[in-house]
Amino acid sequence: MNLCIVGYGSIAEVHRRSFARIPGVEIGAVVGRLLEPTQAFAEKCGAPLATVNLAEALARDDIDAVVITSPSAKHAAQTQAALEAGKHVLVEIPLALTLAESESLTALAEQQDRTLMVAHTMRFWPTLTAARQRIAEGELHAHSVFLHYGFLRRENVNWQGRRRSWTDNLLWHHGCHAVDTALWLLGEPAEAVAGYMGPPHKELGIPLDLAVSLRTPRGQVVSCALSYNTMRPLLDILVIGEETTLAVRNGRLVDPIDQIIAAGGENEEASAVYLQNIEFITALRQEREPLVSGEAVLPTMRALQAVQDLNPQNPHQR
């Protein structure tokens, strides 16, 4: 299996390390914005082609699939180009910055008979899969999910301290993580949606605070609070059920007396990327739909679009 990676940032490096652990997978091309860092990353990948021209990489017959790790605003166009070139695609979250684009890409993948998988990596966290299993098997009848997600993003610097050339998007990026995680845990779409964004940051031009509330057809309630103003990283998830309350924090799934039910460890994110990427490669080899297809994430994109439409004073960055 020969891959092309689009992008050379922090998450691209996580993908590089992940795919290096999967037998029979090679990286044949790297596409980036600037040639010099693209060449440097291609050398680390052992890729023979480094280019700033996506079309050049897509024209190669020896490229089976494309892994898109570029800025969020480029995901839709690059995914479309890859699918139209007959390539399978694994695209980083979010699939697109609108519901319409997401639906169009899902339809295109079906039309082209190509695999489209979206990197909703939290679906592969051991702690969250353990919680979801309890709900799916009827061991826990969930009433609500509370999710708090935040870190400091008042400058264009990413989670590894690298300065970005683009502006992140709280709703369509980390809001996508949060909303998708909650709906996936419950196994339900959103029937009703409410959401509020804070004022745009004077320099970045994006809201740094966000609140999203959802209700499922079964009456379950989801509350997501997100902020790029948080002075210390925060990710807490509560699953409140009839039988018990489960908490996901610090890489552990615990019960009300802090008894550990499942542990993901300090490197849960990297482990989840590895499990996710194995699923992508396995789905291609078995010629089946991946667990997190474009179709599977549309309920999340519908909810995000509803929040966006409720806050027209804060248009998303493109």
Side-chain angles (χ1 to χ4, degrees):
M1 190 72 64
N2 208 13
L3 307 180
C4 167
I5 294 185
V6 180
Y8 47 69
S10 298
I11 195 61
E13 172 63 16
V14 176
H15 281 284
R16 181 192 71 80
R17 294 179 182 178
S18 167
F19 283 117
R21 298 171 57 192
I22 304 177
V25 174
E26 296 182 356
I27 299 173
V30 172
V31 178
R33 183 175 66 91
L34 302 174
L35 185 57
E36 186 174 342
T38 301
Q39 292 172 329
F41 188 64
E43 185 175 352
K44 291 179 68 175
C45 294
L49 175 64
T51 178
V52 295
N53 187 342
L54 177 60
E56 180 182 0
L58 295 179
R60 294 180 62 114
D61 292 335
D62 59 339
I63 296 297
D64 302 300
V66 179
V67 181
I68 296 174
T69 71
S70 56
S72 299
K74 296 182 178 295
H75 289 184
Q78 291 175 340
T79 297
Q80 178 179 338
L83 290 172
E84 289 177 342
K87 311 301 183 184
H88 304 288
V89 176
L90 171 63
V91 56
E92 264 298 327
I93 194 171
L95 171 58
L97 295 181
T98 69
L99 172 60
E101 289 175 327
S102 302
E103 291 175 332
S104 176
L105 292 170
T106 300
L108 177 61
E110 182 176 359
Q111 175 187 331
Q112 295 288 98
D113 193 25
R114 297 292 89 182
T115 294
L116 172 59
M117 181 169 171
V118 191
H120 286 235
T121 312
M122 292 178 72
R123 294 194 186 198
F124 293 87
W125 286 18
T127 49
L128 292 171
T129 55
R132 187 177 191 271
Q133 182 178 1
R134 281 160 173 74
I135 296 172
E137 294 179 352
E139 183 179 335
L140 177 64
H141 295 82
H143 295 309
S144 58
V145 175
F146 287 75
L147 195 151
H148 299 151
Y149 198 165
F151 41 87
L152 194 61
R153 186 62 62 80
R154 294 175 183 168
E155 295 184 72
N156 252 345
V157 177
N158 76 357
W159 53 286
Q160 288 194 340
R162 296 178 58 168
R163 185 161 293 278
R164 282 176 161 158
S165 61
W166 56 285
T167 304
D168 210 340
N169 189 294
L170 182 58
L171 173 64
W172 290 94
H173 182 185
H174 292 96
C176 191
H177 276 301
V179 169
D180 183 75
T181 296
L183 295 179
W184 171 75
L185 280 170
L186 296 174
E188 294 282 334
E191 179 183 64
V193 179
Y196 300 93
M197 299 182 190
H201 186 269
K202 60 183 179 180
E203 294 178 3
L204 298 180
I206 60 168
L208 300 188
D209 296 281
L210 171 67
V212 177
S213 298
L214 312 169
R215 187 181 69 241
T216 74
R218 295 170 57 190
Q220 299 154 310
V221 174
V222 172
S223 298
C224 300
L226 298 94
S227 178
Y228 283 166
N229 279 310
T230 311
M231 293 296 183
R232 54 179 294 179
L234 172 67
L235 178 54
D236 284 336
I237 303 172
L238 287 179
V239 182
I240 301 170
E242 180 68 21
E243 296 80 5
T244 190
T245 296
L246 302 179
V248 178
R249 61 171 66 100
N250 300 323
R252 303 182 305 166
L253 176 67
V254 298
D255 65 11
I257 60 172
D258 279 341
Q259 179 176 332
I260 298 176
I261 298 172
E266 294 182 0
N267 296 317
E268 184 170 38
E269 178 74 17
S271 298
V273 171
Y274 174 63
L275 294 174
Q276 162 195 277
N277 291 359
I278 285 180
E279 166 61 17
F280 178 61
I281 297 300
T282 302
L284 294 184
R285 287 172 173 168
Q286 295 179 352
E287 298 183 349
R288 61 168 173 82
E289 186 174 288
L291 292 177
V292 193
S293 64
E295 183 72 29
V297 304
L298 288 183
T300 294
M301 307 310 276
R302 291 189 184 100
L304 297 181
Q305 186 65 60
V307 175
Q308 184 71 68
D309 292 344
L310 289 167
N311 292 267
Q313 75 280 12
N314 282 321
H316 56 70
Q317 300 293 302
R318 295 195 63 82

